[in-house]
């Protein structure tokens, strides 16, 4: 007799394929759910594989547009980077995938969901916090936290023996080695409105994209061709340990550089200083799995408000692993060339700087006086 129906977040890879079989061994009816968020995957083969492994049903859902519009673009507005380097690609994908996982579980009246995230990582938290936020009564089966599973499978080697397969050879799938990238750069112009890209143009080719998914896929293509967006880092997991992460985010890296440039060009200094702090907090919340928390929702509203005047075009060059900003223009620019020029007086009286310096120097005089009394 079946223990119930479980919807498994299925990737078609080693871990979740073994977990699918293991769940069936434990007496569950398994529904496999595979999300298309833009990965290079043979989805027909993945469907057949899940069916051959014994899945009762297989759902393959195209979430690419949803992922770009509802998760990636808000992160672009936030300049979201975790610990100064990680662009949060995986962390952003998990709440998107988990939301659809829950929707399928509710539709199929499944009491359980399951995932292949390890008991040491962040993804278990991301999947489960999202699931509980959207489906509070759901029960989660996390095999890598169940002794019967992790004592049987000590790691990937045991899983490969169980599945009778071999390990992948190449870690980078989206990007070329920068040394092997073309010797001619691609020059792009990215247009923003409210901090969101609305058009990407290849200046030399004269071609353009203006739909969110098409823009992002095109930037991934260009960035990947030039080896942009590769990082090899040691990061601090939410669970309390350091881990090595190897990531590639070609399109996101291009968008981040372009957005940083147009934002600085159009945003008030003090507003941007506050917004930078909000972006850091937002990045931490996303990384730690709190996308659907009330505090993250609040930050999203604040960040969106900050982007009202972030509008204009940025021209850049993509070449051998790097993104080079070439110029920018905006109807909302706060840059005044006459005001800062060394060749024109403009509307600024240089004598005013004397008072500005004296006011700020008062603090130094006070500190020096305190130091003298102490010594």
């Amino acid at each position: 007799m079946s223990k119930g129906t479980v919807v498994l977040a299925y990737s078609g890879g080693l871990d979740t394929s073994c977990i699918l079989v293991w769940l069936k061994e434990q007496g569950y009816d398994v529904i496999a759910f595979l999300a298309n968020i833009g990965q290079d995957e043979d989805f027909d083969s993945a469907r057949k594989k899940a069916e051959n492994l014994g899945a009762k049903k297989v759902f393959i859902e195209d979430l690419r547009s949803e992922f770009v519009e509802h998760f990636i673009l808000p992160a672009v507005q936030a300049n979201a980077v975790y610990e100064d380097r990680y662009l949060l690609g995986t962390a952003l994908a998990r709440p998107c995938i988990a939301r659809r996982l829950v929707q399928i579980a509710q539709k199929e009246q499944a009491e359980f969901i399951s995932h292949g995230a390890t008991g040491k990582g962040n993804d278990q938290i991301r999947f489960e916090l999202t699931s509980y936020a959207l489906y509070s009564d759901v029960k989660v089966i996390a095999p890598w936290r169940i002794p019967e599973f992790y004592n049987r499978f000590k790691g990937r080697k045991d899983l490969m023996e169980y599945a009778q397969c071999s390990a992948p050879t190449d870690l980078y799938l989206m990007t070329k080695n920068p040394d092997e990238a073309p010797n001619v750069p691609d020059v792009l112009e990215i247009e923003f409105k409210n901090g969101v890209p609305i058009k990407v143009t290849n200046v030399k080719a004269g071609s353009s994209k203006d739909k969110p998914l098409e823009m992002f896929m095109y930037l991934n293509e260009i960035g990947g061709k030039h080896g942009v967006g590769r990082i090899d880092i040691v990061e601090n997991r939410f669970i309390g340990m350091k881990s090595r992460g190897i990531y590639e985010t070609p399109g996101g890296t291009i968008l981040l550089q372009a957005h940083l440039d147009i934002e600085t060009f159009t945003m008030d200094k003090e507003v941007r200083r506050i917004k930078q702090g909000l972006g850091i907090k937002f990045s931490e919340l996303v990384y730690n799995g709190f996308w659907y928390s009330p505090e993250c929702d609040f930050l999203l509203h604040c960040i969106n408000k900050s982007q009202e005047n972030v509008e204009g075009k940025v021209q850049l060059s993509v070449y051998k692993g790097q993104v080079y900003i070439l110029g920018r223009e905006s109807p909302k620019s706060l840059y005044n060339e006459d005001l800062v020029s060394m060749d024109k007086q403009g509307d600024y009286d240089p004598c005013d700087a004397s008072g500005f310096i004296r006011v700020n120097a008062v603090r130094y005089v006070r500190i020096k006086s305190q130091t003298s009394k102490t010594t």
Side-chain angles (χ1 to χ4, degrees), residues 6 19 22-23 28 112-115 128 139-143 145-146:
V6 54
I19 287 170
W22 183 83
L23 287 168
Y28 295 97
F112 305 93
I113 62 166
S114 184
H115 58 75
E128 294 179 35
K139 295 181 177 66
V140 177
I141 301 173
R145 298 203 306 266
I146 298 173

Side-chain angles (χ1 to χ4, degrees), residues 262 265-266 309-313 328-334:
I262 197 67
F265 196 49
T266 56
N309 292 317
V310 180
E311 176 182 335
K313 299 176 182 179
R328 79 288 297 162
E329 62 180 72
S330 172
K332 304 288 183 71
S333 168
L334 296 180

Side-chain angles (χ1 to χ4, degrees), residues 125-150:
I125 304 168
R126 297 163 181 160
F127 273 119
E128 294 179 35
L129 286 182
T130 296
S131 299
Y132 290 133
L134 303 177
Y135 183 13
S136 59
D137 294 331
V138 74
K139 295 181 177 66
V140 177
I141 301 173
W144 284 112
R145 298 203 306 266
I146 298 173
E148 291 84 355
F149 186 87
Y150 67 69

